[in-house]
């Protein structure tokens, strides 16, 4: 049946079906659609959209339930309107039945009605699933309204057209329909209230993202509140929102951890890390594919519309509205492109952020379960690197990975359009491009030297005290600079390659255009280069630049990420294999008994405890421990928390028990001394506690937790004899708090053995004897023999008042977990175990606490965030570091480059406007020649090289300064500053200065000049634009200033909240055996999650702020495009097509440029902070000069070794009391002096004063007639030798550890090793003197390390020797040897010994007794015993009298 369709325009045209009538719609001053098209296509578009979305959206909602939203007025209104819309459509349908009109009048209302019902259903379904604002529906209402607007306009035109008859009913229904759509759209812009029972209800600062409306979400309007706040005043951590639930560690990590932390049983099953990550993050990330594809397609609309615009300007008969239509279309496409692109970026960045959270969480959890043997394969530095560098790589990858398919897609599309435009001559351009790509594909230099440098820095910071005492700073500075030199070499290489790449990158687009145009005009005389061809091609070439450049970056990013993936996989599949030190052991411990384990150094005592803890790897057999375990390691581990938190350790608080424990562990006097009692914060690694205090805190922690089995790894060696006695009686012994528990005590002290229930004697990893004290004596084995010798010796010596060492059996087992981090001394202000109270306390002891208000006292300074704008001086400092000449030269070259680039494009526009005569242009050759010359001059080759060389100067200069300044800082600085902060400066900030800042500066300057250039061109073409560009410029500046204030602060907050993540991680690695023994893993994991979330809380808003900014700025850019095109259309009669092409193609570039410029300027500002932070340490206080020429003493000084203290006083900080006061002592050359005193009497302070670690507050110290305050520090410290309490070794050869300056011959070194009784040990090593010591000397036992320190002293052979309780960790025989060596080798030297164990100093010339910082007794040991003073009572406590 043939339907006659009569169009209402009165023409009476008969058409078959429906179609567009081009005369009606296009070639007319007043366009309109045909009636049939309006009634079908325009009605169906929204319906098709909604039905297409429905299945996917429905499934999505089913899976993502956010909770139930109560019915609100808003919701009721939406639903009611939906139903009314349905009624209106069906009214139309019934009217059509009644009218019996054509069939499309039936189909359309039916379809529309059903769609409206679907929409109403979705409104309700969304409410039930907790969607507060729906994108799908908003878009649906928008499309419907747009289609309806077209119909509405046409109906109005029709009604105004006098002769046409009007269908009143349909008019009314349509108007109703139109108004209802408008209202629905407006309602859709408002969000619903939050769902019931959602987290947001009880969250104090919920993130407004999910409660924001759809429009607010796509334009990132919801963050504006935070931006305003940040603009008014610098943001603080408390202003930040909580993380969204799906971004928190507890949501992300557990699933991954289960999949990734590989159980030993499934060793063969290589968990594909990539698969696991994909499963976790894939679905969310897939959305970015769609956005990216849509954006790529939209990108090509610009050049196509440009083509139409140029045609329009050429065609003088085209109706005006077409020009406006193109302009509008250009603007709309640009805006859509903006919105889509930033949704895509947002998804990528959020995925990246989640990836980082996941990786950090998984690494942390793994670190808690990996065995010691596995732990040795990854140093702390490497693991921290996994968390920082490798996690960062994954974040970067997330933003790039889509380019793998997107770049080729863009290239193919661009080439296709170019081919359509210019034909085969495009191939010339493409060939040039492909030739230039490999130059860009330069891989990044390896990270190896950086890792080494950080590792070395870490050790230097941990052992800084030793470096200062030995005056070794220069040797280590050289070592660091040597590594740094290698690093800079690599940097330089990559800088030159990058310079080449930059050169090609600057010239590439130009060379491509040049070759293409040259080939095009040369092939054929009739090929005319007109505006359309030239500028559309240029626009397309500009698009092409991006993917071709990105590809190498993406590929290198993928390679880097895969390396990181490998490193991660290795770490996550770590397992355990350790040569067993305990050969065969069988023993059972009855409940509630007290057991001692004794034996010589390295016989496996600590290993036995480890086996009980399940820390060692069992070769065979099994260990069963009944009940819970508490463990006191040999080297106390203290957390950076308050004293109380350290003792309670996550258990619930029980006041009376806590008091009992503190008293039993002899901590009361210490708490009195601390500034805020037990709420005093304890620094990293227990910096502000002495060794003995740390040990007692560690003990108190174990006692408090009330376990069933107690394992003590020699806790008494670090405390004074009388304190040891107190602790044994009150805690460990038969009458102590723990009398009903099972206790295993590893000990050296013979005097406690009679009170034990059982004694295990170990030798070479086997239990050689076992039984009670009496039984072992009866058995008359080795133990009894050995006991008798020492006991008799003790008896006889006690009688003569001259006792020998109590500590019979040293204990240390080298390959064991507990020793792994033997780095107490690291930055501790303490020196002797019990004695040197660190500064803060001994000094505040005198304050006796009334002054220190509770909780006010903080020891470590957190990494602080600077506020406000980065000062101009920082940029100036950076320029000075580069060199001012080079800086200004770079800027000048940049200007030249951009002027040339503008000129070449302007020339092109003149060329395209050349008149065409007989099908050809006249001056092709001249035009081409000049164009080429101008273009080549763009890539002034000197330009990038100048900049990058400058960058390297700056890096070298700034790092050298930082290193020098840190090494010159006084000890107090290292105590206050957590090592994490310093390492952060040396790794992150220096890395930024090395590799991030130079390219950013380059891009910043480039984009700045580009934007200015584009504006100039637009003004040249259409001077009227002068009205618009300044206001837009102001908006732009305002938005940028507004943004930078917030973004900079967020970046600072983020980097400040990053430090605690690393510090906590370091701390955990040090105390992992304690954490496991107490089964506190869950709590520590939770703490780590909190710290990571805290960091991401600052990172998330900064991503969103970037998107916020980009959307705003691109809209400014879009406006520039709009006005450039609009003015070109308005002035089309005056303008040549060449100028229109030039101006619009430049304006299209502006969007990208503005975006880049703002990114670069904020990047520059946030990264230049690195320079600021590195300079910050340059302004710190310094210690005195290292050497002073004028006052340098003779090289033979001190000849006699006479030390005089005259009225000497010392304080630790300006605001504190004197720790030592009024000390007047003369020590003659060659005297042997013992220094004793109760805890905190100031014994260590005396040595600190002697080495000028702290400068004198009053009085002076004179050595051989020279006042030590007048000479350089190194001159002084090279001449006195100390054997410190905590033996610290650095990783490197044994030789380096003995003689870092290479001053001595090998014979000297061997002789000193022989005297230190290490010769046999060292000569048995495969590498002899070149034996590599591990980080902190982990692969030697503590006793051996102590002997190495002795060998150092013997090598130096100086006149004055200070022993700081140096024999704590060695067994009896070794101690004997050390004492005899010191007696024989240092016979003529002055020896000062700080002693806990009085027996070591009973044969000294004189003894100084200190109390509260004053000398109270002084004389020979015997005369002091007669006086019955303090010395006598101490001797009595130690059982000497």
């Amino acid at each position: 049946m043939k339907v006659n369709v009569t169009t209402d325009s009165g023409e009476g045209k008969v058409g078959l079906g429906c179609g567009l009538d081009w005369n009606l719609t296009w070639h007319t001053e007043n366009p309109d659609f045909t009636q049939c098209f309006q009634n079908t296509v325009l009605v169906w578009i929204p319906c098709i959209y909604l039905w297409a979305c429905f299945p996917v959206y429905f499934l999505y909602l089913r899976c993502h339930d956010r909770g139930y939203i109560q019915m609100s007025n808003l919701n009721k209104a939406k639903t009611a309107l939906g139903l009314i819309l349905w009624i209106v459509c069906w009214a139309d349908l019934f009217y059509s039945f009644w009218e019996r009109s054509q069939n499309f009048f039936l189909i359309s209302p039916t379809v529309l009605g059903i769609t409206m019902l679907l929409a109403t259903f979705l409104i309700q379904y969304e409410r039930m699933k907790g969607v507060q604002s729906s994108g799908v529906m908003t878009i649906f209402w928008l499309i419907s309204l747009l289609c309806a607007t077209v119909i509405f306009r046409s109906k109005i035109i029709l009604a105004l057209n006098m002769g046409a008859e009007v269908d009143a009913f349909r008019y009314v229904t349509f108007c109703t329909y139109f108004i209802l759509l408008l209202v629905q759209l407006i309602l859709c812009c408002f969000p619903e209230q939050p769902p019931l029972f959602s987290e947001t209800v009880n969250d104090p600062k919920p993130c407004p993202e999910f409660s924001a409306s759809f429009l607010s979400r796509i334009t990132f309007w919801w963050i504006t509140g935070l931006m305003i706040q940040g603009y008014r005043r610098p943001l603080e951590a408390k202003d930040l929102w909580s993380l969204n639930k799906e971004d928190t560690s507890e949501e992300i990590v557990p699933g991954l951890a289960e999949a990734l932390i590989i159980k030993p049983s499934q060793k063969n099953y290589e968990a594909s890390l990539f698969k696991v990550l994909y499963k976790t993050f894939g679905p969310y990330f897939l959305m970015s594919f769609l956005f990216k594809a849509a954006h790529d397609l939209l990108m090509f609309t610009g050049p196509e519309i440009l083509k139409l615009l140029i045609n329009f300007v050429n065609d003088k008969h085209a109706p005006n509205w077409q020009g406006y239509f193109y302009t509008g279309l250009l603007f709309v496409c640009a805006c859509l492109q903006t919105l889509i692109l930033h949704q895509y970026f947002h998804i990528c960045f959020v995925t990246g952020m989640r990836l980082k959270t996941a990786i950090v969480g998984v690494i942390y959890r793994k670190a808690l379960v990996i065995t010691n043997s596995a732990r040795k394969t990854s140093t702390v530095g490497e693991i921290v690197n996994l968390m920082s560098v490798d996690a960062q790589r994954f974040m970067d990858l997330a933003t790039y990975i889509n380019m793998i398919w997107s770049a080729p897609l863009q290239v193919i599309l661009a080439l296709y359009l170019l081919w359509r435009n210019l034909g085969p001559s495009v191939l010339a351009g493409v060939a040039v491009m492909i030739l230039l790509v490999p130059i860009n594909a330069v891989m990044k230099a390896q990270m190896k030297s950086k890792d080494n440098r950080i590792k070395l820095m870490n050790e230097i910071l941990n052992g800084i005290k030793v470096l200062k005492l030995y005056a070794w700073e220069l040797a280590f500075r050289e070592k660091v600079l040597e590594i740094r030199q290698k690093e800079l070499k690599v940097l330089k290489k990559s800088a030159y390659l990058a310079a080449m790449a930059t050169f090609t990158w600057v010239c590439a687009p130009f060379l491509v255009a040049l070759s293409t145009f040259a080939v095009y005009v040369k092939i054929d005389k009739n090929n005319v280069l007109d505006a359309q061809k030239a500028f559309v091609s240029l626009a397309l070439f500009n698009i092409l630049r991006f993917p071709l450049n990105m590809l190498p970056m993406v590929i290198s990013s993928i390679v880097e990420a895969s390396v990181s993936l490998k490193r991660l996989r290795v770490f996550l599949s770590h397992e355990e294999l350790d040569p067993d030190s305990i050969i065969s052991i069988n023993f059972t411990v009855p409940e509630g008994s007290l057991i001692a384990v004794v034996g010589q150094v390295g016989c496996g005592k600590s290993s036995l405890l480890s086996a009980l803890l399940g820390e060692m790897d069992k070769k065979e057999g099994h260990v069963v421990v009944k009940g819970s375990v508490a463990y006191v390691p040999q080297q106390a581990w203290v957390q950076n928390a308050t004293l109380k938190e350290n003792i309670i350790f996550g258990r619930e608080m029980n006041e009376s028990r806590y008091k009992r424990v503190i008293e039993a562990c002899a901590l009361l006097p210490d708490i009195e001394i601390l500034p805020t009692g037990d709420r005093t914060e304890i620094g990293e690694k227990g910096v502000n506690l002495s060794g003995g205090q740390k040990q007692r805190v560690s003990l108190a922690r174990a006692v408090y937790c009330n376990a069933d089995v107690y394992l003590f790894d020699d806790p008494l060696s670090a405390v004074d004899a009388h304190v040891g006695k107190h602790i044994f009686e009150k805690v460990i012994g038969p009458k102590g708090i723990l009398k009903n528990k099972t206790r295993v005590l590893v000990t050296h002290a013979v005097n406690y053995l009679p009170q034990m229930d059982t004694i295990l004697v170990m030798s070479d990893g086997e239990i050689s004897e076992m039984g009670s004290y009496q039984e072992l004596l009866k058995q008359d084995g080795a133990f009894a023999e050995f006991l008798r010798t020492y006991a008799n010796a003790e008896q006889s010596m006690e009688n003569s008042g001259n006792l020998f060492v109590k500590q019979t059996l040293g204990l240390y087992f080298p390959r064991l977990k507990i020793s792994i981090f033997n780095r107490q001394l690291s930055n501790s202000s303490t020196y002797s175990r019990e004695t040197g109270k660190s500064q803060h306390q001994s000094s505040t002891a005198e304050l006796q606490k009334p002054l220190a208000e509770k909780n006010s006292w903080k020891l470590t300074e957190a990494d602080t965030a600077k506020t406000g704008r980065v000062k101009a001086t920082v940029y100036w400092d950076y320029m000075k570091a580069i060199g001012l000449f080079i800086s200004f030269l770079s800027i000048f070259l940049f200007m030249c480059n951009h002027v040339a680039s503008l000129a070449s494009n302007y020339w092109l526009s003149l060329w395209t406007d050349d008149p065409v005569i007989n099908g050809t242009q006249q001056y092709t050759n001249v035009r081409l020649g000049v164009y080429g010359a101008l273009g080549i001059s763009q890539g002034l080759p000197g330009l990038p090289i100048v900049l990058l060389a400058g960058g390297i100067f700056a890096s070298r200069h700034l790092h050298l300064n930082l290193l020098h300044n840190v090494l010159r800082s006084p000890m107090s600085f290292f105590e206050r500053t957590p090592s994490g902060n310093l390492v952060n400066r040396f790794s992150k900030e220096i890395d930024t200065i090395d590799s991030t800042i130079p390219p950013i500066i380059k891009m910043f300057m480039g984009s700045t000049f580009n934007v200015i250039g584009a504006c100039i061109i637009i003004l040249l073409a259409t001077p009227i634009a002068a009205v618009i560009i300044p206001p837009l410029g102001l908006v732009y500046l305002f938005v940028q200033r507004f943004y930078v204030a917030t973004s900079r602060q967020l970046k600072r907050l983020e980097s400040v909240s990053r430090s605690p993540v690393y510090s906590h991680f370091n701390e955990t690695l040090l105390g992992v055996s304690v954490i496991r023994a107490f089964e506190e893993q869950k709590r520590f994991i939770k703490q780590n999650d909190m710290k990571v979330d805290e960091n991401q809380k600052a990172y998330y808003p900064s991503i969103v702020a970037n998107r916020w900014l980009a959307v705003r700025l691109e809209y400014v850019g879009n406006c520039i495009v709009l006005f450039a095109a609009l003015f070109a259309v308005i002035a089309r009669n005056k303008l040549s097509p060449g100028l229109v092409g030039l101006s619009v193609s430049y304006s299209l570039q502006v969007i990208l440029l503005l975006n880049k410029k703002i990114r670069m300027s904020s990047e520059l500002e946030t990264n230049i902070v690195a320079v600021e932070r590195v300079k910050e340490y340059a302004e710190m206080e310094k210690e005195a000069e290292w050497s002073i020429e004028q006052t340098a003493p003779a090289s033979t000084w001190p000849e006699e070794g006479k030390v005089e203290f005259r009225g000497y006083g010392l304080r630790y900080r300006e605001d504190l009391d004197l720790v030592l006061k009024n000390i007047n002592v003369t020590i003659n050359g060659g005297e042997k002096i013992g220094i004793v005193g109760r805890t905190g009497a100031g014994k260590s302070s005396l040595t600190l004063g002697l080495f000028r670690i702290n400068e004198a507050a009053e009085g002076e110290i004179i050595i051989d007639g020279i006042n030590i305050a007048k000479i350089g520090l190194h001159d002084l410290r090279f001449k006195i030798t100390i054997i410190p309490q905590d033996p610290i070794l650095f990783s490197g050869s044994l030789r380096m550890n003995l003689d870092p300056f290479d001053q001595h011959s090998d014979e000297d070194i061997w002789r000193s090793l022989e005297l230190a009784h290490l010769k046999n040990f060292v000569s048995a090593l495969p590498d002899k003197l070149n034996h590599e010591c591990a980080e902190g000397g982990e692969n030697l036992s503590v006793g051996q390390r102590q002997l190495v320190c002795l060998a150092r002293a013997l090598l130096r052979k100086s006149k004055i020797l200070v022993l700081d309780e140096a024999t704590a960790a060695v067994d009896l025989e070794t101690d004997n040897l050390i004492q005899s060596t010191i007696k024989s080798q240092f016979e003529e030297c002055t020896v000062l010994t700080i002693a806990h164990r009085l027996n070591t100093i009973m044969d000294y010339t004189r003894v100084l007794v200190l109390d509260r910082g004053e000398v109270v007794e002084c004389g020979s040991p015997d005369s002091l015993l007669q006086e019955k003073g303090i010395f006598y009572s101490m001797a009595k406590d130690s059982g000497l009298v």
Side-chain angles (χ1 to χ4, degrees), residues 1094-1214:
E1094 214 36 55
N1095 183 21
Q1096 300 293 36
K1097 243 165 78 167
Y1099 178 69
Y1100 185 66
S1102 72
I1103 316 176
V1104 180
N1106 280 336
R1107 302 279 69 80
W1108 178 91
L1109 172 80
V1111 171
R1112 305 286 172 283
L1113 288 189
E1114 286 193 22
Y1115 270 93
V1116 172
N1118 296 343
C1119 289
I1120 291 182
V1121 175
L1122 172 72
F1123 288 115
L1126 191 63
F1127 292 140
V1129 171
I1130 292 174
R1132 67 194 260 216
N1133 300 324
K1134 303 197 222 21
L1135 283 184
S1136 66
L1139 271 175
V1140 173
L1142 183 67
S1143 129
V1144 176
S1145 67
Y1146 255 103
S1147 73
L1148 279 174
Q1149 251 183 313
V1150 162
I1151 303 177
L1152 286 173
L1153 292 174
L1154 278 184
N1155 212 346
K1156 193 163 151 196
K1157 173 172 163 18
I1158 205 105
R1159 256 214 332 274
M1160 286 311 137
S1161 58
S1162 51
E1163 284 275 295
L1164 182 59
E1165 188 157 2
T1166 38
N1167 281 305
I1168 205 89
V1169 172
V1171 177
E1172 178 181 52
R1173 290 174 66 137
V1174 167
K1175 295 292 280 189
E1176 187 184 349
Y1177 281 164
E1179 274 98 61
M1180 295 282 178
E1181 45 164 347
K1182 299 284 165 282
E1183 51 183 5
E1185 287 300 320
W1186 278 342
S1187 58
I1188 304 172
E1189 293 282 311
Q1190 300 79 14
T1191 58
S1195 56
T1196 53
W1197 176 87
E1199 283 166 7
E1200 184 188 353
K1202 178 178 175 191
V1203 182
E1204 294 178 68
F1205 290 90
R1206 298 185 182 166
Y1208 185 75
L1210 174 77
R1211 60 163 55 101
Y1212 281 115
R1213 284 201 316 234
E1214 292 305 308

Side-chain angles (χ1 to χ4, degrees), residues 308-348:
L308 296 170
L309 245 178
I310 295 175
N311 284 347
F312 164 76
V313 174
N314 272 339
D315 173 9
K316 299 298 177 203
H317 303 300
N320 270 343
W321 69 268
Q322 288 180 6
Y324 299 126
F325 173 68
Y326 291 140
T327 306
L329 201 57
L330 197 56
F331 183 64
V332 169
C333 287
C335 291
L336 269 179
Q337 199 178 326
T338 299
L339 292 178
I340 288 173
L341 177 65
H342 294 297
Q343 283 309 308
Y344 159 73
F345 274 141
H346 186 60
I347 290 176
C348 290

Side-chain angles (χ1 to χ4, degrees), residues 958-979:
L958 290 166
H959 176 263
L960 186 67
N961 264 357
L962 174 67
L963 179 63
H964 188 71
N965 287 323
V966 166
L967 289 177
R968 284 275 326 272
S969 301
M971 250 343 273
S972 54
F973 167 76
F974 294 98
E975 279 145 22
R976 282 198 315 268
T977 315
S979 56

Side-chain angles (χ1 to χ4, degrees), residues 1215-1287:
D1215 49 344
L1216 298 176
D1217 291 3
L1218 292 173
V1219 198
L1220 294 176
K1221 17 187 193 300
N1222 195 18
I1223 293 200
N1224 290 297
V1225 180
T1226 304
I1227 298 167
N1228 297 316
E1231 278 199 298
K1232 308 283 179 282
I1233 301 285
I1235 302 174
V1236 296
R1238 297 266 186 221
T1239 296
K1243 304 187 291 274
S1244 287
S1245 310
L1246 209 54
T1247 53
L1248 296 183
L1250 192 58
F1251 281 87
R1252 284 176 62 201
I1253 295 285
N1254 291 84
E1255 298 288 352
E1258 53 189 41
E1260 51 194 12
I1261 299 179
I1262 308 251
I1263 297 182
D1264 280 9
I1266 292 185
N1267 180 349
I1268 62 168
K1270 299 278 189 288
I1271 58 177
L1273 288 177
H1274 282 186
D1275 297 334
L1276 167 70
R1277 291 173 186 168
F1278 270 127
K1279 303 290 187 182
I1280 347 179
T1281 304
I1282 184 162
I1283 302 183
Q1285 170 192 6
D1286 283 320

Side-chain angles (χ1 to χ4, degrees), residues 148 413 537 710 735 808 839 1198 1242:
L413 273 172
S537 309
Y710 282 84
K735 299 194 191 60
T808 339
Q839 335 182 344

Side-chain angles (χ1 to χ4, degrees), residues 622-672:
H622 55 274
V623 177
V624 181
V625 178
K626 180 177 156 212
S628 58
V629 177
Y631 167 61
V632 181
Q634 187 178 15
Q635 301 213 301
W637 171 74
V638 183
Q639 266 190 293
N640 185 352
T642 66
L643 186 73
K644 194 169 187 172
E645 283 162 3
N646 262 301
I647 293 175
I648 292 173
F649 205 58
R651 305 284 191 272
E652 66 269 12
M653 178 68 193
N654 171 341
E655 204 55 56
S656 57
R657 178 174 182 76
Y658 177 67
K659 287 229 169 60
R660 279 212 329 274
V661 168
I662 282 187
E663 194 192 352
C665 296
L667 278 167
L668 279 175
D670 303 292
I671 290 180
E672 307 257 289

Side-chain angles (χ1 to χ4, degrees), residues 46 111 218 294 388 412 534 781 825 957 967 1069 1081 1124 1261 1275 1282 1401:
V111 173
I218 57 170
S388 54
I412 291 165
L825 187 79
H957 182 80
L967 289 177
L1069 285 174
Q1081 293 98 319
I1261 299 179
D1275 297 334
I1282 184 162
I1401 56 163

